[in-house]
Amino acid sequence: MMNVMPKPMRLPDGFNDPAQYAAALAEWLKEALPLCSIHVLDLALHRGLAFWTSHMPQEWSRWIEQQQQSSQSHEQLLQECASVALGQECPVGWLHHWPPSLQRFVQKGRRMRLPRNVDASDFGSIFANGIPSDYSTARTTKAGMSRKKLQEVERLAAVVLALAREQRVDVIVDVGAGTGYLSHVLSESFPVLAIDSDDARTCASQARGATGHARSSQAVQDEQAQTQRRKQRKPASNAQSDGATEMHGPQRCPVEYLTRRLDATALTDAIRARATHADIVANGSVPRGEKRFMLVGLHACGDLSAQVIPDTFMQSPFVVGMVSVGCCYHLLTEQGFPRSKTIRESGLMLSKSHLKQACQTYSKFEPSRLRDLWRTQSYRAQMEVLVRQHFPDRLSLSTDQPDRVDGEADECGAGEQGRVLVGPLPKTAYGHGFKTYASAMCAKLGGEPARIAAEADGSLFSSMVANVEAQFRDKHLEHRIALLSVLRSAICIESVVVVDRLLSLLESGQTDACALNLFDVTESSRNMAIYCPAGH
């Protein structure tokens, strides 16, 4: 065994057992979630204002209103909210004027969140020489991947290959393989079955494999070093042809491509068909000499990482290990959460809106960029009102989509009976005031909104914009958005999703299961991998 960690996962201070932590976390979320069960765009609508009045403690509401009295208070509040939402340490004395109950709320939320930093000691001998951290432009270019993707593939591949060797695996199954970055790096050491539900992605993976573009940066460096040594040994006249031959790439194990929409039964059947005949598995054991499989998923969406991979791992006698990094929590079904007995018995229920919040993170943000996001979200919220008041025949902006945190989200149009995607706005729409933003949005909406926004004198459109801005001048919209971000940063929904997945394995007798902080969270927000060698 790898003996990766002394504990199944690194827990916040004060907790020694995942089940103990999960129970306490569930109780905290049941207390805290009602304060954040609103879409940020709804803060501009009557239902949002009603929610704020009925759910937000009066002490916090009065405090927010007081900050509007001066521009200095306004700027200080936004700066403080940004620092708190990002988890930064604030200068001494900064938050002394915050309501004590709000300070306690934020502090408890921070204490309950799972640690997300990466520690090489968690990985035993896998990263004995240190965790790879050089993701320079030169390295990413050689590997044909972005900085983020190279880190994910390189680190996950190291963990997967170590487990595969220990478990004497014959085939690695890449579930949700996408365009094959991980599949082809793993194929440098093991045969791979790459499965994805989308035929276009499977074809892209096949093309990448045929051209040798998806390779680990270390493999590229090793090949180039070998090529250089051979050039030095050969006469100069042969150097050019030898180099061309070497650049075809190293010999790799075969990759089998399969396009299929998976559940645990379909994945189990696909593995059985490649392991042995069905009549051999009647006794539930792996006959001597039959193939041994390992499951891996890099940001496999929704139930793939939550239910399909772990259930197949526990059900199939041919599967001897799994490593899974989750993603797209908002796509989880009841089969994907809750999984563990501990969370089910806690009574914690997460709505689709809550699961969307679990996908959100400010880990890549600087305070100034977060403040730009709040300003953009306030524009979006005001735009909702403008469309409803002046263009009721048009579909209004969606208020059921997750709050994107990249500052350049796709804008949506939605009505009572459906929604239409408007698509991303040009970058010039941001940072130049609400009128510029609204003009760009109207152009995207088309029809009457686009015509009015494009009129030569612009008087009618200017009047519409001024009317909406006047409605929000005293409603502290940007302050409320900032406070909502602070509250959401204290409600660690992703932590309960991850610990639930780990507990479901531990409760099923997989005592070697653990959760690993594998990627730098500032590069890859979903950075925790569930790792488990077979216990059967």
Side-chain angles (χ1 to χ4, degrees), residues 446-457:
E448 188 71 2
R451 186 189 65 78
I452 293 177
E455 285 180 346
D457 64 6

Side-chain angles (χ1 to χ4, degrees), residues 301-319:
C301 292
D303 285 352
L304 278 182
S305 55
Q307 184 251 338
V308 174
I309 290 177
D311 280 3
T312 304
F313 165 69
M314 289 187 284
Q315 293 170 9
S316 173
F318 303 106
V319 179

Side-chain angles (χ1 to χ4, degrees), residues 405-423:
V405 295
D406 56 11
E408 295 180 5
D410 284 0
E411 310 297 345
C412 302
E416 297 301 323
Q417 300 179 355
R419 70 173 185 263
V420 57
L421 291 178
V422 174

